[in-house]
Amino acid sequence: MRDEDDAGQPPSGGPSFVTHVGGSAQAFVAGRDMVFQGPGPRALAGLPTDYEYLIGRQPQLAALREFLSASPDALSFTPVALISGFAGSGKTALAVSAARQALENGEFAGGVVFVDLNGIGRPHNGGGALDSALRSLGVRQSELGGPVAERARLYRSLLHERGREHGPVLVVVDGAEEPEQVLPLLPGDEAHKLLVTSRRMLAVPGARVVVTGPLGSTDSSLVLMFAVERTGLSPGRVSFSSRTADFLPDLMEECGHLPAVVTSLAAQFTQDPGLTAGALYGRLKAAIDSYARGGPANGPLLSVVRRGFDETLLRLGPEAAELLPLLALAEGPDITTDQVGYLTGAGEEDLRSALADLAGHHLLVEDPIGSDRWRLPGFARREARALAARLPGPVRTAAQRRLLDQYVRMARTADEDNTGATAASRVELRVGRELAKEWFDAERHNVVAAVTMAIRAGLDQQAVDLALPVGRLLLDRHLLKEAGACTKAGLAAAERIGDRSAEAGLVNLRGVWLIRLGQDEKALGLYERARAIYAEIGDLLGQAKTSANIGNVQYARGELRLAYAMLRSAAVDFRELGDTGNEAEATRNAANIMVDAKDYESAHMLYGRAVSIHRDRGDQLGEAWALEGLGDLFLLLENPQEALSCFGGMRVIGQVVEDPGVLGSALYGAARAISMGKPRQRRQAQPLLKDAVVLLEAAGDRRKLAAACYVLGVLLYEERKYPEAHAQLQRAGLIHLEEFGDEGAAGGPMGLMVAAERAMENRGVGKKLLGRVSRVGHRPAWEVPNVRVTSFRPGPWEAED
């Protein structure tokens, strides 16, 4: 038996190629003659009008140039390529541009066959697409007939003959819907190429795939400007250069950054030359908002931006069609497959099939590929939200509740303490907590957005349940902007439902947030409010936590005696209530107060007790911060060896728990201890400080980062490395000034920065001056500062309900 797809070889009944006899074309197919009365007209230069403005598609165009120019012996060779993208993404423009460039380079001397299938609007079977190609190759309409397989052999034979006489042929199929339309058009030999465009990711064996996704904001704006210019209107007449150009990014977002949609929108400026981008955006936004609330889905503007959606939705399978509006209920920037499962309640097999269907129609993007994280493009999210608004209320609420409940479970696990756990179970709990923390770090943007989602859905209890642990986790990570928004929204929800315990907890968190912003007076007012609520509801633990927070504020205000009494009282209350974690934190903060009060013996005892409590309960992070306080104390007492021992233990913990804040703080402390030695030892501190700066930046501890930059700048200044010193000192000063408004703390680094500038301006004078100083001893302003940073980290009393 012979493979029926073989081309150019005679079957048992006769040859399968075209010959010309006396002006007639004759083909022998499957053992029988097909005689044509003269060749029909050929269409081998049938590309449509070239698109003038192909913007933002350089990578895709380069990939197609490589495909079209590749020889059969190249490793990357394939005879077929697929351009796939949503309606209006510029597939045809890209295909035509690539084809014309190939023709200009002389790569397809046999010509181009262009088969226009008109996308989804006009269905074609494989035979219809094939017949269109045969007509372009000179076969008359009256001569078309027979099974698809026979016509496909005729098509390959005609290509073979054309290639032998004139050269390779490029076949461009625009708007294919199904693989069955494309497969019969695969060329029979490697000389010819097939280029296909489709709104779907068609399964074409061996095809090189080029995706036309949304353009960037700048490229979208350029497409609009050029399209308007082409009409004869200048950009100035449509106010592109005026203040209303600020609306261009929003306007492009509503267009989905799809070039054909943007080009169609340019007609609005043609119809009204005085129209501004701002006015057009207002009209479009109003139409979209009306549609999202259940209004009509048509209209002059909506029909432009909704191009292709209705046809695409009809092509989706039932599972994908049901999934699309549910995806819009999740407010975050992306969503994992597991989270989609909670949102829908569907099984994994059905779920993955629906996700693949949506992705195949370019309504969903896996970003990055293989990550199992899915993102709705802007144009698809707009449509999905409109569909979600049309779902029955109970369906929406049930889906959101399922997802929120999972977020709450994971956030609580990441935030919860091990108080009351046995020694055997504590390790297991800690492992679960660390895994949950990794989950939170990966999902933070989605989880924070979920608080807003809960409130919009009228699920205030879920919003409160989520805001409490998420707010604490954000404060732990020094993410103050997100923490402020999250706790504010959660507090409003708690007040609406009358949850006094949650209200007090969120008020407490708002106080911690204000302290981080340096607004101690406002924080104190919130703490007093929280303590009053806890007293009202009889929550002794809550009162103790708030008392500890008040003690911290008093400490920051310099009221050392009041602060110490408050913290020691809180520590006793924690111990009596069996909360050893909070007891250790209160004890550590009381030790900080004793340092400032110059009662170093009491401070040493309290730090030691805090280290012991944390170690006994297996709290490595708490032990690390207590060791930092003890190390700072030894530095103050000019005992660098003991300090190094403390910071060394802290460093080991930081490596074990992989916490950049702990590790960076340990290196910063160790560098200060080393810098107390001889000049050679001081030089050894520089690489430690450079590593500390990187780690503290990653941890988000800005105050300690500024302190580390200051110390590093001083050491670099001593080494006369003025440019490097200047950069570190400037960074330290700007953090203090711009982020904390602390002019006093900024004075040291800024003053030495000026000295570094002068030394760089007059290097010789600077060298002589430093030489004189080195003989008489260091000036106090240039000494390595023993900058002790008390980070008011949320202790467990700020990290629990």
Side-chain angles (χ1 to χ4, degrees):
M1 293 294 292
R2 179 180 180 277
D3 187 349
E4 68 174 8
D5 288 335
D6 289 344
Q9 299 297 325
S12 59
S16 180
F17 56 88
V18 175
T19 59
H20 296 279
V21 181
S24 297
Q26 186 175 31
F28 301 93
V29 182
R32 63 186 180 84
D33 291 356
M34 295 177 64
V35 181
F36 310 137
Q37 299 301 315
R42 294 184 176 92
L44 290 162
L47 287 174
T49 302
D50 200 1
Y51 289 74
E52 296 183 37
Y53 305 116
L54 189 67
I55 296 172
R57 296 300 188 201
Q58 286 74 21
Q60 292 90 339
L61 194 58
L64 289 176
R65 280 200 299 265
E66 181 184 353
F67 156 72
L68 293 171
S69 62
S71 60
D73 57 351
L75 291 176
S76 61
F77 175 81
T78 176
V80 58
L82 171 67
I83 302 174
S84 185
F86 194 74
S89 61
K91 301 179 294 297
T92 304
L94 181 61
V96 170
S97 182
R100 287 196 181 280
Q101 289 186 20
L103 288 176
E104 291 170 2
N105 294 333
E107 291 166 354
F108 293 97
V112 177
V113 172
F114 187 82
V115 179
D116 184 4
L117 299 182
N118 288 325
I120 296 176
R122 193 177 97 199
H124 279 259
N125 55 32
L130 182 58
D131 288 350
S132 178
L134 287 171
R135 284 193 295 272
S136 295
L137 290 168
V139 179
R140 299 179 183 277
Q141 179 68 37
S142 60
E143 296 165 340
L144 294 175
V148 171
E150 291 184 1
R151 283 178 284 157
R153 284 196 292 272
L154 174 61
Y155 160 78
R156 290 192 292 269
S157 298
L158 290 170
L159 279 185
H160 176 78
E161 182 73 9
R162 181 75 183 179
R164 186 171 62 83
E165 293 182 357
H166 299 281
V169 175
L170 172 62
V171 180
V172 179
V173 179
D174 187 33
E177 301 172 27
E178 302 292 343
E180 290 74 19
Q181 295 174 297
V182 176
L183 296 178
L185 294 172
L186 291 172
D189 59 59
E190 296 174 337
H192 312 291
K193 300 282 179 70
L194 174 63
L195 179 58
V196 182
T197 74
S198 178
R199 296 183 187 181
R200 294 178 54 200
M201 294 290 287
L202 298 181
V204 180
R208 172 172 293 189
V209 178
V210 175
V211 177
T212 53
L215 295 174
S217 180
T218 300
D219 288 335
S220 301
S221 299
L222 286 174
V223 170
L224 180 61
M225 292 181 187
F226 287 142
V228 171
E229 280 187 338
R230 188 164 49 190
T231 66
L233 295 174
S234 67
R237 289 187 64 189
V238 293
S239 303
F240 285 143
S241 58
S242 72
R243 61 183 177 83
T244 59
D246 294 340
F247 290 96
L248 275 180
D250 295 328
L251 185 59
M252 296 301 96
E253 183 68 28
E254 297 298 347
C255 291
H257 299 286
L258 299 171
V261 175
V262 173
T263 301
S264 298
L265 201 68
Q268 301 296 319
F269 293 105
T270 305
Q271 297 167 9
D272 183 0
L275 185 65
T276 65
L280 180 58
Y281 170 71
R283 295 178 192 173
L284 182 58
K285 188 70 166 61
I288 290 173
D289 288 346
S290 173
Y291 171 51
R293 293 191 299 268
N298 49 23
L301 291 178
L302 276 179
S303 62
V304 171
V305 298
R306 296 192 65 248
R307 173 177 176 171
F309 269 107
D310 290 335
E311 297 92 336
T312 300
L313 293 175
L314 290 174
R315 295 280 174 172
L316 293 176
E319 293 84 4
E322 291 176 8
L323 174 58
L324 181 60
L326 294 178
L327 291 175
L329 298 177
E331 296 278 349
D334 59 15
I335 190 168
T336 66
T337 301
D338 287 343
Q339 290 161 9
V340 176
Y342 287 108
L343 188 67
T344 63
E348 183 176 357
E349 185 175 347
D350 291 340
L351 191 63
R352 291 193 176 276
S353 175
L355 289 170
D357 194 2
L358 289 172
H361 285 87
H362 301 283
L363 294 174
L364 195 63
V365 178
E366 189 179 18
D367 188 17
I369 297 295
S371 66
D372 219 24
R373 304 189 72 87
W374 304 92
R375 173 177 56 81
L376 284 168
F379 58 86
R381 180 173 289 276
R382 180 195 63 225
E383 190 72 17
R385 283 174 174 165
L387 294 172
R390 289 160 171 77
L391 291 174
V395 173
R396 289 198 308 270
T397 301
Q400 291 172 313
R401 193 187 298 275
R402 285 192 297 266
L403 182 60
L404 287 167
D405 287 346
Q406 170 62 7
Y407 282 160
V408 170
R409 283 192 296 269
M410 293 300 293
R412 283 177 172 171
T413 303
D415 176 56
E416 69 185 6
D417 189 24
N418 298 332
T419 300
T422 64
S425 64
R426 197 171 288 147
V427 173
E428 182 179 350
L429 289 171
R430 187 165 62 247
V431 170
R433 186 183 184 195
E434 291 305 317
L435 290 174
K437 282 184 175 180
E438 292 178 7
W439 169 88
F440 178 78
D441 290 333
E443 301 299 327
R444 188 187 88 232
H445 295 298
N446 292 324
V447 177
V448 171
V451 176
T452 303
M453 176 184 79
I455 292 173
R456 287 179 178 172
L459 300 172
D460 282 340
Q461 187 61 62
Q462 279 75 11
V464 170
D465 293 343
L466 192 57
L468 280 164
V470 169
R472 288 186 289 264
L473 290 166
L474 292 171
L475 287 169
D476 273 346
R477 288 154 177 75
H478 304 274
L479 299 168
L480 301 186
K481 183 177 181 180
E482 293 176 47
C486 176
T487 54
K488 181 179 180 180
L491 178 57
E495 291 172 342
R496 282 195 297 271
I497 62 177
D499 188 336
R500 298 289 280 165
S501 178
E503 179 184 348
L506 287 161
V507 168
N508 225 343
L509 287 177
R510 296 283 292 172
V512 177
W513 172 67
L514 287 171
I515 281 185
R516 298 289 179 83
L517 295 176
Q519 300 180 29
D520 297 347
E521 290 295 331
K522 291 183 179 179
L524 184 59
L526 288 179
Y527 287 148
E528 294 288 1
R529 174 185 168 187
R531 188 164 64 167
I533 296 174
Y534 282 130
E536 175 189 327
I537 62 178
D539 187 339
L540 297 179
L541 184 58
Q543 292 181 69
K545 293 174 183 179
T546 312
S547 295
N549 288 339
I550 292 173
N552 284 337
V553 176
Q554 292 170 334
Y555 174 30
R557 296 170 63 181
E559 300 169 354
L560 302 186
R561 188 179 298 276
L562 291 174
Y564 180 76
M566 188 69 74
L567 285 167
R568 291 300 291 152
S569 174
V572 171
D573 291 340
F574 287 135
R575 183 166 61 250
E576 291 177 351
L577 293 167
D579 191 344
T580 56
N582 284 330
E583 178 194 357
E585 290 296 328
T587 302
R588 178 166 66 90
N589 285 347
N592 291 339
I593 296 173
M594 288 296 96
V595 171
D596 284 3
K598 296 183 171 52
D599 186 347
Y600 302 132
E601 184 175 350
S602 296
H604 183 275
M605 181 270 294
L606 291 169
Y607 280 133
R609 175 166 176 75
V611 170
S612 297
I613 296 173
H614 283 303
R615 187 173 294 161
D616 289 344
R617 58 193 305 276
D619 184 356
Q620 289 183 298
L621 285 175
E623 180 184 349
W625 298 125
L627 282 171
E628 180 187 40
L630 193 56
D632 284 340
L633 175 61
F634 284 125
L635 285 178
L636 195 60
L637 297 174
E638 298 184 353
N639 190 341
Q641 292 303 317
E642 290 291 343
L644 277 173
S645 177
C646 294
F647 293 125
M650 188 181 183
R651 181 177 184 177
V652 171
I653 293 174
Q655 291 171 331
V656 170
V657 301
E658 298 181 347
D659 188 306
V662 172
L663 193 53
S665 298
L667 294 179
Y668 167 60
R672 285 183 293 142
I674 292 172
S675 68
M676 295 177 72
K678 297 179 180 179
R680 176 180 292 182
Q681 294 173 314
R682 294 163 74 85
R683 283 193 292 272
Q684 294 174 354
Q686 292 182 28
L688 294 180
L689 283 167
K690 290 178 180 179
D691 289 342
V693 165
V694 173
L695 290 164
L696 292 170
E697 174 77 35
D701 192 340
R702 305 295 291 175
R703 283 194 183 276
K704 195 169 291 180
L705 171 64
C709 290
Y710 182 19
V711 176
L712 179 57
V714 171
L715 294 177
L716 291 169
Y717 187 93
E718 288 182 343
E719 292 288 317
R720 304 182 186 182
K721 298 177 181 178
Y722 301 126
E724 295 179 59
H726 182 277
Q728 296 297 333
L729 294 166
Q730 183 182 51
R731 188 179 186 187
L734 289 177
I735 291 175
H736 284 306
L737 281 176
E738 295 181 356
E739 298 184 24
F740 300 103
D742 192 340
E743 295 183 2
M750 286 299 192
L752 192 54
M753 184 190 74
V754 173
E757 288 176 351
R758 291 173 180 169
M760 287 188 289
E761 290 171 359
N762 193 348
R763 184 93 184 191
V765 173
K767 289 183 178 180
K768 293 178 182 178
L769 175 61
L770 283 173
R772 289 198 299 272
V773 171
S774 65
R775 289 193 294 271
V776 300
H778 291 286
R779 290 174 55 189
W782 293 354
E783 291 178 352
V784 176
N786 185 15
V787 183
R788 178 171 173 271
V789 181
T790 302
S791 297
F792 289 102
R793 301 176 178 279
W797 62 84
E798 301 158 355
E800 297 179 17
D801 295 347

